[in-house]
Amino acid sequence: MPPFDILDTTSRFLNGTEGKNKSMISNLRCVMGLSCVFLPMTIKAAEITFEDGSFLFFIPLFIIYIFIVIGNLIVFFAVRMNTHLHNPMYNFISIFSFLEVWYTTATIPKMLSNLISKKRTISVIGCLLQMYFFHSLGNSEGILLTTMAVDRYVAICNPLRYPTIMTPQLCAQLSAGSCIFGFLVLLPEIAWISTLPFCGPNQIHQIFCDFEPVLRLACTDTSMILIEDVIHAIAIIFSVLIIAISYIRIITVILRIPSVEGRQKAFSTCASHLGVFLMFYGSVSLMYLRFSATFPLILDTVIALMFAVLAPFFNPIIYSLRNKDMRIAIKKLLCLQKVFNAFAS
């Protein structure tokens, strides 16, 4: 199978100008780093450089990516290095933060490369691997968020039985199971896509390789797209229902707590989880629960950026600002780093 060539036409979005190879891309419509895939090896990307405004998008995206990596790693190590946080809730948070680092690494570096590179290409294998790792990590995070909701349900609704139910062994099994299942469930789907023949204009109107845009390039019956949509929708709706039912029950129990201080403490432990859940599943639902409905290209891009970039960006902020124990652990971690640097110098 020949390699994909990726073309970024940011300049068209910014100032309405055309690339140098106008005859080759006259039917192309992309915005802000969208990946446009071509199968023929002879087609080359137009020479769009920093002067077209791509660098204006590169700088903030690069800063956001660095913040995501550093912020989530700080949360991860703050939990791992503080024995007071070695409980199921914080262990799930640390694993979620660790997954976020790789979740964004599956797509953002390629976006950055497309914004500054003259030759925007990706191999077919590279496209499939990007889809596999991005969605596998996303699935793992979704399962982990569901597990975290159930954990909070048990902790608040059955506090006396919580230590015996959520044992360290069960916590480790749930964490490992979330990651293993998230990676295994997509293998058949990716293997099937790798066998498809591709033809047509071969243009992906998305900021990364995704199932629906790639499947539309196949020279076979596209009815499989609807089946894929149904499978993804069932998985998303099932997870959302479990989380929603858990939090409805949690809120019901919290409202019955007689003391105001007790209610505030209980709400504070769930607020960060609920915020991450709404941000993650809200954007994912907009992207994958629309079936045949079509959105304007710019809205598609914004929705994709929400769950691929913005949600991981806000997660460390939510967990650090909304949680007193986490703030203390992060301060200790940063102070420990300062001491280490002082001894090293």
Side-chain angles (χ1 to χ4, degrees), residues 225-236:
I225 297 175
L226 180 59
I227 298 175
E228 294 288 329
D229 287 342
V230 171
I231 294 173
H232 295 157
I234 291 173
I236 294 170

Side-chain angles (χ1 to χ4, degrees), residues 75-76 78-96 144 147-148 151-152 155 162-163 165-172 174-175 265 269 272-273 319 323-326 329:
V75 172
F76 174 76
V79 173
R80 292 299 165 184
M81 298 182 68
N82 191 319
T83 55
H84 294 93
L85 300 183
H86 288 181
N87 59 55
M89 182 181 76
Y90 289 109
N91 280 329
F92 290 141
I93 290 175
S94 69
I95 294 170
F96 186 84
L144 200 59
T147 304
M148 292 164 69
D151 171 71
R152 290 299 83 204
Y162 180 74
I165 295 175
M166 292 300 296
T167 61
Q169 182 180 4
L170 179 60
C171 179
L174 290 172
S175 301
K265 184 177 181 181
T269 60
S272 57
H273 303 295
Y319 283 129
N323 193 298
K324 181 180 178 181
D325 293 333
M326 185 65 73

Side-chain angles (χ1 to χ4, degrees), residues 10 14 22 42 50 54 62 65 77 81 132 156 191 195 215 217 227 246 276 283 288-289 307 309 325:
T10 309
L14 293 172
K22 182 178 179 180
T42 56
F50 290 127
S54 296
F62 178 75
Y65 177 61
F77 284 111
M81 298 182 68
Y132 174 69
I156 293 175
T195 64
L215 286 174
L217 305 182
I227 298 175
S246 298
V276 172
S283 54
Y288 298 109
L289 292 184
F307 72 85
V309 178
D325 293 333

Side-chain angles (χ1 to χ4, degrees), residues 221-271:
D221 183 11
T222 57
S223 61
M224 284 298 297
I225 297 175
L226 180 59
I227 298 175
E228 294 288 329
D229 287 342
V230 171
I231 294 173
H232 295 157
I234 291 173
I236 294 170
I237 293 172
F238 182 72
S239 298
V240 169
L241 283 176
I242 292 177
I243 296 174
I245 292 172
S246 298
Y247 278 109
I248 290 172
R249 178 59 179 161
I250 287 170
I251 292 172
T252 303
V253 172
I254 290 175
L255 292 176
R256 294 176 183 172
I257 298 176
S259 66
V260 176
E261 183 180 353
R263 287 198 299 269
Q264 290 178 344
K265 184 177 181 181
F267 270 123
S268 66
T269 60
C270 298

